[in-house]
Amino acid sequence: MAPGKPGKSTGASENPSVTLFREYLRIDTVHPKPDYDAAVRFLERVGTDLGLACQKVEVCQGRVVLILTWQGTNPRLRSILLNSHTDVVPVFEVLGQGEGWEEHGEEDREHWTYPPFEAVKDSQGNIYARGAQDMKCVSIQYLEAIRRLKTEGKSFARTIHLTFVPDEEVGGHKGMEMFVKRPEFKALNVGFAMDEGLASPSDTFSVFYGERSPWWIKVKCMGSPGHGSRFISNTAAEKMHKVINSFLAFRESEKQRLKSDSSLTLGDVTSLNMTMLEGGVSFNVVPSEMAASFDIRIPPTVDLKVGTIQPHPGEEWDESTLLTPLLWSLSQAFEEQVATWCRGAGDGVTYEFHQKCMDQHITSTEESDPWWKAFSGVCRDMKLQLKLEIFPAATDSRYIRAAGHPAIGFSPMNRTPVLLHDHNEFLNEQVFLRGIEIYARLLTALASVPPLPAEG
Ligand SMILES: CSCC[C@H](NC=O)C(=O)O
Ligand SMILES: [Zn+2]
Ligand SMILES: [Zn+2]
């Protein structure tokens, strides 16, 4: 293949870090059947070549966490944890269509300019693959930063651990959530952690110090059944109508709040989407049950604790006041709000949680915090402009923070469209290489943070 043309061949002049990145992208770790063994074998080989110690922890059957360790000169100090997940999301939206390129027809193929597991590089140096941004780039950047520092003969006081975890894309329940509870995790003696962030189309870099809490709620409405030709009273559909109205009115008010205040980002407001609807068997049968599912993401500033909300002295609340979205958005105890919407829709309306994250830890970005001082100091020296945000979705950082450790979400990709989980996910090789440089500097500073008071 001619140089500069898109293709699989690495070309003689390709930077070896880019070649390694592309090799990792070709490992098929796509859900629902990720080849974790292949990923672990590959990463273990790279780690061993780098002289890193290697440990494997099977947190669930077939779910292995790989730990690579660069021992510090003072191993008693708390360590730096570099986390990344090895799994990637399916290439097609319809479940079960993500297995292999060849099995799909031309319509599917249209969404991707290049096959998503071949890591084709085009003439501009854009590397196309599922996982190019989320987050195989970061895994290789961590490793290549360590390679660079080792080649330069550097060593640091603090130990650096890299963890490669499975199943982040399906909630981390058989991955990081299990791992943080294990003695092997405690033994890592984590002081400060880094995990994934998001690309940024502008010159600035996005940095995430907290995340919104995902709540997945299924609301079931029970009602009277009957013939589709009659005005049956007390139907499931009428109740569902009210439920949907209440939930979506709140959605609209939060959407407007975000739109009307340019200082807010998506991570600062509560998003809500109705993502599934079930019910009914036939055109002429009024069903006795209907269900709607909602994906709600709640910022750490909203109080999640269940409590009783009282009107202010002298104020009286009637049913319509209780259903006012603005009032609720300013109030506390988010679950009370959900319960009231359901109560307001009538009898036989219940809700159940399929995901209910209550952790709201955020990581300090005060200059007085030694970890943040090290992180932000490097960015200042390198003239990287940072945008501090709450991560709008969920990552494994939430488990690290819940375990009591500071964690920053950062994927060094500026001047890059946000394409995670999207068609035609790509990363430019120059942006990728610059990221290695950034991590090399960050690791140097973080692994040299002087002993903290608690460390003696
Ligand atoms: C709530 S568990 C699901 C985690 C998932 N993470 C990445 O996309 C997300 O939907 O945010
Ligand atoms: Zn991710
Ligand atoms: Zn993802």
Side-chain angles (χ1 to χ4, degrees), residues 20-46:
L20 193 70
F21 176 37
R22 293 174 69 192
E23 198 184 331
Y24 187 32
L25 289 170
R26 289 182 196 120
I27 297 175
D28 182 359
T29 53
V30 68
H31 283 285
K33 276 203 172 79
D35 189 351
Y36 286 131
D37 287 346
V40 167
R41 269 198 309 275
F42 169 85
L43 294 163
E44 190 178 358
R45 188 197 84 205
V46 177

PDB file of all heavy atoms in Angstrom, residues 20-46:
ATOM      1  N   LEU A  20       1.778   0.235  18.241  1.00  0.00           N
ATOM      2  CA  LEU A  20       1.284  -0.546  19.378  1.00  0.00           C
ATOM      3  C   LEU A  20      -0.190  -0.221  19.654  1.00  0.00           C
ATOM      4  O   LEU A  20      -1.008  -1.116  19.903  1.00  0.00           O
ATOM      5  CB  LEU A  20       2.127  -0.231  20.625  1.00  0.00           C
ATOM      6  CG  LEU A  20       1.946  -1.187  21.795  1.00  0.00           C
ATOM      7  CD1 LEU A  20       2.552  -2.559  21.497  1.00  0.00           C
ATOM      8  CD2 LEU A  20       2.562  -0.610  23.076  1.00  0.00           C
ATOM      9  N   PHE A  21      -0.529   1.042  19.577  1.00  0.00           N
ATOM     10  CA  PHE A  21      -1.928   1.483  19.760  1.00  0.00           C
ATOM     11  C   PHE A  21      -2.833   0.785  18.740  1.00  0.00           C
ATOM     12  O   PHE A  21      -3.876   0.209  19.082  1.00  0.00           O
ATOM     13  CB  PHE A  21      -1.962   3.015  19.606  1.00  0.00           C
ATOM     14  CG  PHE A  21      -3.334   3.640  19.661  1.00  0.00           C
ATOM     15  CD1 PHE A  21      -4.336   3.169  20.510  1.00  0.00           C
ATOM     16  CD2 PHE A  21      -3.611   4.764  18.872  1.00  0.00           C
ATOM     17  CE1 PHE A  21      -5.592   3.785  20.556  1.00  0.00           C
ATOM     18  CE2 PHE A  21      -4.866   5.380  18.916  1.00  0.00           C
ATOM     19  CZ  PHE A  21      -5.855   4.882  19.755  1.00  0.00           C
ATOM     20  N   ARG A  22      -2.401   0.776  17.511  1.00  0.00           N
ATOM     21  CA  ARG A  22      -3.228   0.177  16.449  1.00  0.00           C
ATOM     22  C   ARG A  22      -3.349  -1.337  16.642  1.00  0.00           C
ATOM     23  O   ARG A  22      -4.388  -1.925  16.357  1.00  0.00           O
ATOM     24  CB  ARG A  22      -2.651   0.523  15.079  1.00  0.00           C
ATOM     25  CG  ARG A  22      -2.762   2.037  14.780  1.00  0.00           C
ATOM     26  CD  ARG A  22      -2.075   2.422  13.497  1.00  0.00           C
ATOM     27  NE  ARG A  22      -2.748   1.901  12.328  1.00  0.00           N
ATOM     28  CZ  ARG A  22      -2.214   1.898  11.103  1.00  0.00           C
ATOM     29  NH1 ARG A  22      -0.989   2.379  10.916  1.00  0.00           N
ATOM     30  NH2 ARG A  22      -2.890   1.415  10.085  1.00  0.00           N
ATOM     31  N   GLU A  23      -2.260  -1.928  17.153  1.00  0.00           N
ATOM     32  CA  GLU A  23      -2.310  -3.372  17.424  1.00  0.00           C
ATOM     33  C   GLU A  23      -3.373  -3.661  18.504  1.00  0.00           C
ATOM     34  O   GLU A  23      -4.169  -4.591  18.379  1.00  0.00           O
ATOM     35  CB  GLU A  23      -0.924  -3.835  17.892  1.00  0.00           C
ATOM     36  CG  GLU A  23      -0.714  -5.328  17.802  1.00  0.00           C
ATOM     37  CD  GLU A  23       0.639  -5.767  18.376  1.00  0.00           C
ATOM     38  OE1 GLU A  23       1.619  -4.962  18.344  1.00  0.00           O
ATOM     39  OE2 GLU A  23       0.714  -6.892  18.877  1.00  0.00           O
ATOM     40  N   TYR A  24      -3.396  -2.845  19.543  1.00  0.00           N
ATOM     41  CA  TYR A  24      -4.366  -3.035  20.632  1.00  0.00           C
ATOM     42  C   TYR A  24      -5.799  -2.835  20.119  1.00  0.00           C
ATOM     43  O   TYR A  24      -6.717  -3.570  20.503  1.00  0.00           O
ATOM     44  CB  TYR A  24      -4.035  -2.056  21.768  1.00  0.00           C
ATOM     45  CG  TYR A  24      -4.841  -2.241  23.042  1.00  0.00           C
ATOM     46  CD1 TYR A  24      -5.283  -3.505  23.452  1.00  0.00           C
ATOM     47  CD2 TYR A  24      -5.130  -1.155  23.866  1.00  0.00           C
ATOM     48  CE1 TYR A  24      -6.004  -3.671  24.631  1.00  0.00           C
ATOM     49  CE2 TYR A  24      -5.854  -1.306  25.042  1.00  0.00           C
ATOM     50  CZ  TYR A  24      -6.286  -2.571  25.424  1.00  0.00           C
ATOM     51  OH  TYR A  24      -7.010  -2.719  26.585  1.00  0.00           O
ATOM     52  N   LEU A  25      -5.973  -1.846  19.237  1.00  0.00           N
ATOM     53  CA  LEU A  25      -7.317  -1.576  18.697  1.00  0.00           C
ATOM     54  C   LEU A  25      -7.885  -2.757  17.908  1.00  0.00           C
ATOM     55  O   LEU A  25      -9.100  -2.900  17.770  1.00  0.00           O
ATOM     56  CB  LEU A  25      -7.287  -0.328  17.807  1.00  0.00           C
ATOM     57  CG  LEU A  25      -7.109   1.015  18.531  1.00  0.00           C
ATOM     58  CD1 LEU A  25      -6.854   2.134  17.523  1.00  0.00           C
ATOM     59  CD2 LEU A  25      -8.329   1.347  19.384  1.00  0.00           C
ATOM     60  N   ARG A  26      -6.984  -3.581  17.387  1.00  0.00           N
ATOM     61  CA  ARG A  26      -7.447  -4.716  16.568  1.00  0.00           C
ATOM     62  C   ARG A  26      -7.884  -5.906  17.424  1.00  0.00           C
ATOM     63  O   ARG A  26      -8.449  -6.863  16.909  1.00  0.00           O
ATOM     64  CB  ARG A  26      -6.343  -5.139  15.593  1.00  0.00           C
ATOM     65  CG  ARG A  26      -6.146  -4.102  14.498  1.00  0.00           C
ATOM     66  CD  ARG A  26      -5.099  -4.500  13.468  1.00  0.00           C
ATOM     67  NE  ARG A  26      -4.722  -3.310  12.727  1.00  0.00           N
ATOM     68  CZ  ARG A  26      -3.504  -2.794  12.668  1.00  0.00           C
ATOM     69  NH1 ARG A  26      -2.511  -3.404  13.277  1.00  0.00           N
ATOM     70  NH2 ARG A  26      -3.286  -1.695  11.986  1.00  0.00           N
ATOM     71  N   ILE A  27      -7.628  -5.832  18.716  1.00  0.00           N
ATOM     72  CA  ILE A  27      -8.093  -6.921  19.596  1.00  0.00           C
ATOM     73  C   ILE A  27      -9.577  -6.702  19.863  1.00  0.00           C
ATOM     74  O   ILE A  27     -10.003  -5.626  20.289  1.00  0.00           O
ATOM     75  CB  ILE A  27      -7.271  -6.950  20.907  1.00  0.00           C
ATOM     76  CG1 ILE A  27      -5.803  -7.251  20.576  1.00  0.00           C
ATOM     77  CG2 ILE A  27      -7.845  -7.992  21.871  1.00  0.00           C
ATOM     78  CD1 ILE A  27      -4.868  -7.194  21.756  1.00  0.00           C
ATOM     79  N   ASP A  28     -10.343  -7.741  19.624  1.00  0.00           N
ATOM     80  CA  ASP A  28     -11.798  -7.628  19.620  1.00  0.00           C
ATOM     81  C   ASP A  28     -12.369  -7.755  21.044  1.00  0.00           C
ATOM     82  O   ASP A  28     -12.731  -8.845  21.482  1.00  0.00           O
ATOM     83  CB  ASP A  28     -12.341  -8.728  18.691  1.00  0.00           C
ATOM     84  CG  ASP A  28     -13.846  -8.666  18.565  1.00  0.00           C
ATOM     85  OD1 ASP A  28     -14.480  -7.798  19.199  1.00  0.00           O
ATOM     86  OD2 ASP A  28     -14.394  -9.511  17.835  1.00  0.00           O
ATOM     87  N   THR A  29     -12.435  -6.643  21.746  1.00  0.00           N
ATOM     88  CA  THR A  29     -12.980  -6.675  23.111  1.00  0.00           C
ATOM     89  C   THR A  29     -14.366  -6.031  23.150  1.00  0.00           C
ATOM     90  O   THR A  29     -14.729  -5.363  24.113  1.00  0.00           O
ATOM     91  CB  THR A  29     -12.045  -5.948  24.100  1.00  0.00           C
ATOM     92  OG1 THR A  29     -11.772  -4.631  23.591  1.00  0.00           O
ATOM     93  CG2 THR A  29     -10.752  -6.709  24.305  1.00  0.00           C
ATOM     94  N   VAL A  30     -15.126  -6.253  22.088  1.00  0.00           N
ATOM     95  CA  VAL A  30     -16.440  -5.611  21.982  1.00  0.00           C
ATOM     96  C   VAL A  30     -17.507  -6.441  22.713  1.00  0.00           C
ATOM     97  O   VAL A  30     -17.472  -7.675  22.682  1.00  0.00           O
ATOM     98  CB  VAL A  30     -16.812  -5.395  20.489  1.00  0.00           C
ATOM     99  CG1 VAL A  30     -17.067  -6.704  19.776  1.00  0.00           C
ATOM    100  CG2 VAL A  30     -18.020  -4.476  20.348  1.00  0.00           C
ATOM    101  N   HIS A  31     -18.392  -5.746  23.366  1.00  0.00           N
ATOM    102  CA  HIS A  31     -19.531  -6.422  23.989  1.00  0.00           C
ATOM    103  C   HIS A  31     -20.492  -6.896  22.907  1.00  0.00           C
ATOM    104  O   HIS A  31     -20.555  -6.301  21.850  1.00  0.00           O
ATOM    105  CB  HIS A  31     -20.252  -5.443  24.942  1.00  0.00           C
ATOM    106  CG  HIS A  31     -19.512  -5.261  26.223  1.00  0.00           C
ATOM    107  ND1 HIS A  31     -19.494  -6.220  27.215  1.00  0.00           N
ATOM    108  CD2 HIS A  31     -18.735  -4.251  26.663  1.00  0.00           C
ATOM    109  CE1 HIS A  31     -18.738  -5.793  28.213  1.00  0.00           C
ATOM    110  NE2 HIS A  31     -18.254  -4.606  27.913  1.00  0.00           N
ATOM    111  N   PRO A  32     -21.241  -7.957  23.091  1.00  0.00           N
ATOM    112  CA  PRO A  32     -21.427  -8.655  24.381  1.00  0.00           C
ATOM    113  C   PRO A  32     -20.427  -9.773  24.678  1.00  0.00           C
ATOM    114  O   PRO A  32     -20.540 -10.387  25.725  1.00  0.00           O
ATOM    115  CB  PRO A  32     -22.835  -9.252  24.223  1.00  0.00           C
ATOM    116  CG  PRO A  32     -22.962  -9.505  22.760  1.00  0.00           C
ATOM    117  CD  PRO A  32     -22.163  -8.448  22.060  1.00  0.00           C
ATOM    118  N   LYS A  33     -19.455 -10.029  23.792  1.00  0.00           N
ATOM    119  CA  LYS A  33     -18.508 -11.122  24.055  1.00  0.00           C
ATOM    120  C   LYS A  33     -17.072 -10.633  23.889  1.00  0.00           C
ATOM    121  O   LYS A  33     -16.414 -10.984  22.901  1.00  0.00           O
ATOM    122  CB  LYS A  33     -18.753 -12.275  23.066  1.00  0.00           C
ATOM    123  CG  LYS A  33     -19.845 -13.238  23.474  1.00  0.00           C
ATOM    124  CD  LYS A  33     -19.594 -14.589  22.760  1.00  0.00           C
ATOM    125  CE  LYS A  33     -20.516 -15.682  23.235  1.00  0.00           C
ATOM    126  NZ  LYS A  33     -21.847 -15.638  22.660  1.00  0.00           N
ATOM    127  N   PRO A  34     -16.601  -9.831  24.807  1.00  0.00           N
ATOM    128  CA  PRO A  34     -15.236  -9.310  24.652  1.00  0.00           C
ATOM    129  C   PRO A  34     -14.193 -10.416  24.811  1.00  0.00           C
ATOM    130  O   PRO A  34     -14.357 -11.278  25.671  1.00  0.00           O
ATOM    131  CB  PRO A  34     -15.104  -8.300  25.805  1.00  0.00           C
ATOM    132  CG  PRO A  34     -16.456  -8.206  26.448  1.00  0.00           C
ATOM    133  CD  PRO A  34     -17.229  -9.418  26.071  1.00  0.00           C
ATOM    134  N   ASP A  35     -13.169 -10.381  23.989  1.00  0.00           N
ATOM    135  CA  ASP A  35     -12.066 -11.346  24.120  1.00  0.00           C
ATOM    136  C   ASP A  35     -11.064 -10.790  25.138  1.00  0.00           C
ATOM    137  O   ASP A  35     -10.013 -10.256  24.780  1.00  0.00           O
ATOM    138  CB  ASP A  35     -11.403 -11.564  22.745  1.00  0.00           C
ATOM    139  CG  ASP A  35     -10.397 -12.710  22.787  1.00  0.00           C
ATOM    140  OD1 ASP A  35     -10.094 -13.222  23.891  1.00  0.00           O
ATOM    141  OD2 ASP A  35      -9.897 -13.089  21.701  1.00  0.00           O
ATOM    142  N   TYR A  36     -11.441 -10.923  26.417  1.00  0.00           N
ATOM    143  CA  TYR A  36     -10.586 -10.370  27.474  1.00  0.00           C
ATOM    144  C   TYR A  36      -9.244 -11.085  27.554  1.00  0.00           C
ATOM    145  O   TYR A  36      -8.227 -10.471  27.859  1.00  0.00           O
ATOM    146  CB  TYR A  36     -11.297 -10.455  28.828  1.00  0.00           C
ATOM    147  CG  TYR A  36     -12.409  -9.440  29.010  1.00  0.00           C
ATOM    148  CD1 TYR A  36     -13.668  -9.823  29.463  1.00  0.00           C
ATOM    149  CD2 TYR A  36     -12.192  -8.082  28.752  1.00  0.00           C
ATOM    150  CE1 TYR A  36     -14.683  -8.887  29.653  1.00  0.00           C
ATOM    151  CE2 TYR A  36     -13.199  -7.144  28.928  1.00  0.00           C
ATOM    152  CZ  TYR A  36     -14.448  -7.553  29.386  1.00  0.00           C
ATOM    153  OH  TYR A  36     -15.443  -6.630  29.568  1.00  0.00           O
ATOM    154  N   ASP A  37      -9.246 -12.396  27.271  1.00  0.00           N
ATOM    155  CA  ASP A  37      -7.986 -13.149  27.352  1.00  0.00           C
ATOM    156  C   ASP A  37      -6.950 -12.556  26.406  1.00  0.00           C
ATOM    157  O   ASP A  37      -5.790 -12.370  26.773  1.00  0.00           O
ATOM    158  CB  ASP A  37      -8.216 -14.620  26.984  1.00  0.00           C
ATOM    159  CG  ASP A  37      -8.959 -15.356  28.088  1.00  0.00           C
ATOM    160  OD1 ASP A  37      -9.047 -14.796  29.199  1.00  0.00           O
ATOM    161  OD2 ASP A  37      -9.458 -16.465  27.831  1.00  0.00           O
ATOM    162  N   ALA A  38      -7.395 -12.243  25.194  1.00  0.00           N
ATOM    163  CA  ALA A  38      -6.462 -11.689  24.208  1.00  0.00           C
ATOM    164  C   ALA A  38      -5.923 -10.334  24.673  1.00  0.00           C
ATOM    165  O   ALA A  38      -4.730 -10.037  24.527  1.00  0.00           O
ATOM    166  CB  ALA A  38      -7.155 -11.554  22.855  1.00  0.00           C
ATOM    167  N   ALA A  39      -6.811  -9.514  25.251  1.00  0.00           N
ATOM    168  CA  ALA A  39      -6.375  -8.185  25.714  1.00  0.00           C
ATOM    169  C   ALA A  39      -5.371  -8.321  26.852  1.00  0.00           C
ATOM    170  O   ALA A  39      -4.330  -7.646  26.864  1.00  0.00           O
ATOM    171  CB  ALA A  39      -7.588  -7.372  26.164  1.00  0.00           C
ATOM    172  N   VAL A  40      -5.674  -9.206  27.792  1.00  0.00           N
ATOM    173  CA  VAL A  40      -4.774  -9.382  28.939  1.00  0.00           C
ATOM    174  C   VAL A  40      -3.417  -9.933  28.474  1.00  0.00           C
ATOM    175  O   VAL A  40      -2.364  -9.456  28.916  1.00  0.00           O
ATOM    176  CB  VAL A  40      -5.437 -10.290  30.013  1.00  0.00           C
ATOM    177  CG1 VAL A  40      -4.419 -10.741  31.056  1.00  0.00           C
ATOM    178  CG2 VAL A  40      -6.601  -9.563  30.674  1.00  0.00           C
ATOM    179  N   ARG A  41      -3.450 -10.894  27.548  1.00  0.00           N
ATOM    180  CA  ARG A  41      -2.186 -11.450  27.017  1.00  0.00           C
ATOM    181  C   ARG A  41      -1.336 -10.347  26.384  1.00  0.00           C
ATOM    182  O   ARG A  41      -0.144 -10.228  26.626  1.00  0.00           O
ATOM    183  CB  ARG A  41      -2.476 -12.516  25.947  1.00  0.00           C
ATOM    184  CG  ARG A  41      -2.590 -13.922  26.477  1.00  0.00           C
ATOM    185  CD  ARG A  41      -2.441 -14.964  25.351  1.00  0.00           C
ATOM    186  NE  ARG A  41      -3.300 -14.717  24.203  1.00  0.00           N
ATOM    187  CZ  ARG A  41      -4.571 -15.118  24.108  1.00  0.00           C
ATOM    188  NH1 ARG A  41      -5.132 -15.785  25.114  1.00  0.00           N
ATOM    189  NH2 ARG A  41      -5.294 -14.865  23.034  1.00  0.00           N
ATOM    190  N   PHE A  42      -1.985  -9.521  25.583  1.00  0.00           N
ATOM    191  CA  PHE A  42      -1.291  -8.423  24.890  1.00  0.00           C
ATOM    192  C   PHE A  42      -0.687  -7.430  25.904  1.00  0.00           C
ATOM    193  O   PHE A  42       0.493  -7.076  25.820  1.00  0.00           O
ATOM    194  CB  PHE A  42      -2.293  -7.713  23.967  1.00  0.00           C
ATOM    195  CG  PHE A  42      -1.812  -6.424  23.384  1.00  0.00           C
ATOM    196  CD1 PHE A  42      -1.040  -6.400  22.227  1.00  0.00           C
ATOM    197  CD2 PHE A  42      -2.135  -5.197  23.984  1.00  0.00           C
ATOM    198  CE1 PHE A  42      -0.598  -5.199  21.672  1.00  0.00           C
ATOM    199  CE2 PHE A  42      -1.703  -3.991  23.439  1.00  0.00           C
ATOM    200  CZ  PHE A  42      -0.931  -3.995  22.290  1.00  0.00           C
ATOM    201  N   LEU A  43      -1.494  -7.005  26.853  1.00  0.00           N
ATOM    202  CA  LEU A  43      -1.036  -5.992  27.818  1.00  0.00           C
ATOM    203  C   LEU A  43       0.052  -6.551  28.741  1.00  0.00           C
ATOM    204  O   LEU A  43       0.994  -5.852  29.106  1.00  0.00           O
ATOM    205  CB  LEU A  43      -2.223  -5.471  28.638  1.00  0.00           C
ATOM    206  CG  LEU A  43      -3.257  -4.688  27.822  1.00  0.00           C
ATOM    207  CD1 LEU A  43      -4.583  -4.553  28.575  1.00  0.00           C
ATOM    208  CD2 LEU A  43      -2.720  -3.306  27.429  1.00  0.00           C
ATOM    209  N   GLU A  44      -0.087  -7.827  29.069  1.00  0.00           N
ATOM    210  CA  GLU A  44       0.920  -8.471  29.918  1.00  0.00           C
ATOM    211  C   GLU A  44       2.259  -8.531  29.188  1.00  0.00           C
ATOM    212  O   GLU A  44       3.319  -8.291  29.774  1.00  0.00           O
ATOM    213  CB  GLU A  44       0.439  -9.884  30.283  1.00  0.00           C
ATOM    214  CG  GLU A  44       1.288 -10.536  31.342  1.00  0.00           C
ATOM    215  CD  GLU A  44       0.772 -11.921  31.731  1.00  0.00           C
ATOM    216  OE1 GLU A  44      -0.273 -12.356  31.191  1.00  0.00           O
ATOM    217  OE2 GLU A  44       1.427 -12.550  32.560  1.00  0.00           O
ATOM    218  N   ARG A  45       2.196  -8.828  27.902  1.00  0.00           N
ATOM    219  CA  ARG A  45       3.419  -8.875  27.092  1.00  0.00           C
ATOM    220  C   ARG A  45       4.088  -7.504  27.079  1.00  0.00           C
ATOM    221  O   ARG A  45       5.295  -7.381  27.309  1.00  0.00           O
ATOM    222  CB  ARG A  45       3.059  -9.305  25.663  1.00  0.00           C
ATOM    223  CG  ARG A  45       4.251  -9.571  24.766  1.00  0.00           C
ATOM    224  CD  ARG A  45       3.850  -9.570  23.296  1.00  0.00           C
ATOM    225  NE  ARG A  45       3.821  -8.221  22.753  1.00  0.00           N
ATOM    226  CZ  ARG A  45       3.085  -7.841  21.712  1.00  0.00           C
ATOM    227  NH1 ARG A  45       2.287  -8.696  21.099  1.00  0.00           N
ATOM    228  NH2 ARG A  45       3.147  -6.597  21.271  1.00  0.00           N
ATOM    229  N   VAL A  46       3.305  -6.457  26.849  1.00  0.00           N
ATOM    230  CA  VAL A  46       3.879  -5.103  26.820  1.00  0.00           C
ATOM    231  C   VAL A  46       4.469  -4.757  28.187  1.00  0.00           C
ATOM    232  O   VAL A  46       5.586  -4.235  28.289  1.00  0.00           O
ATOM    233  CB  VAL A  46       2.800  -4.062  26.423  1.00  0.00           C
ATOM    234  CG1 VAL A  46       3.376  -2.647  26.453  1.00  0.00           C
ATOM    235  CG2 VAL A  46       2.229  -4.375  25.047  1.00  0.00           C
TER     236      VAL A  46
END
